[in-house]
Amino acid sequence: NLLYALPLARRMMSEKNMAIICEGQLDTIAFHRAGFACAVAPQGTSFTENQGRILRRYAGRIFLALDSDAAGQKAIRRDLEILLPMSFDIRVIRNGGAEAVQQAVAGAVSWLQVLCDSLPERYDMSSPAGRGQAAAEVAEFLGKVTNQVELELYVREAATALGVSEDAFWAELRQVRRKLRG
């Protein structure tokens, strides 16, 4: 339930309406030194739902500053599962580091873009089956979004990224939601 540097970060989180989630303590220190005292890191094994609720008290925007390796990509997907239902504006900082923090925050991209950009690594996007599997994965994440306006905008973005119609994507999303409900 602990977030490293939270007592130091709360004030800037509230002022800037943003929090940066780092992978570890050293990254958090680097962000603080670069002028982003709104950076924190989960203590323990990985980010938790309770930590997300704590951050929600202070900020509406979350920047995920995680490594771009396979473990970092997995952590991003796991964090999205926790953060999306809380209606955060989520961005992913690519190629972080203390020197590039200012540029990284300014150049942060949508979590959905990062997810869609990673799909060709796992699916054959040139085949209808592969594209369908990719759409199902994206729909699983969008199924966690509770705000309908956000969901509509995300569906539009996802359909464009996948090269499918919005109607087809909505149908996939409804199917995934039915499966999730059991």
Side-chain angles (χ1 to χ4, degrees):
N1 292 333
L2 298 177
L3 286 163
Y4 177 76
L6 180 63
L8 300 172
R10 286 188 293 220
R11 186 171 173 196
M12 183 181 262
M13 281 182 193
S14 294
E15 289 172 4
K16 301 250 184 209
N17 189 32
M18 67 182 272
I20 300 171
I21 300 174
C22 299
E23 207 155 353
Q25 295 175 354
L26 293 178
D27 292 333
T28 303
I29 292 167
F31 273 90
H32 279 249
R33 286 185 148 185
F36 288 90
C38 55
V40 295
Q43 295 291 92
T45 55
S46 62
F47 189 73
T48 66
E49 189 174 329
N50 191 47
Q51 290 168 332
R53 283 193 295 272
I54 290 168
L55 293 178
R56 193 71 185 123
R57 294 182 209 154
Y58 303 106
R61 292 183 302 153
I62 295 286
F63 291 82
L64 298 176
L66 305 170
D67 291 343
S68 59
D69 60 6
Q73 292 298 311
K74 184 177 178 182
I76 288 171
R77 289 194 297 275
R78 188 177 57 242
D79 291 356
L80 288 173
E81 289 181 14
I82 293 168
L83 295 168
L84 284 172
M86 296 180 191
S87 202
F88 281 104
D89 175 9
I90 304 167
R91 303 289 173 149
V92 179
I93 297 173
R94 297 183 192 208
N95 303 325
E99 322 74 51
V101 171
Q102 199 83 22
Q103 292 174 340
V105 169
V109 296
S110 158
W111 66 268
L112 184 55
Q113 181 181 342
V114 171
L115 180 63
C116 289
D117 288 350
S118 71
L119 294 172
E121 297 168 13
R122 294 183 303 286
Y123 305 104
D124 177 6
M125 299 301 286
S126 65
S127 77
R131 199 172 294 249
Q133 292 166 337
E137 179 179 323
V138 174
E140 283 185 40
F141 285 99
L142 291 182
K144 297 178 183 309
V145 175
T146 56
N147 181 292
Q148 291 304 302
V149 173
E150 291 176 30
L151 183 59
E152 181 177 326
L153 295 171
Y154 285 140
V155 165
R156 188 175 302 153
E157 185 179 340
T160 300
L162 291 164
V164 299
S165 71
E166 286 182 41
D167 289 340
F169 194 85
W170 277 112
E172 181 64 29
L173 181 58
R174 283 190 293 276
Q175 189 174 7
V176 166
R177 281 184 161 171
R178 275 194 295 276
K179 285 180 187 174
L180 291 175
R181 287 187 194 123

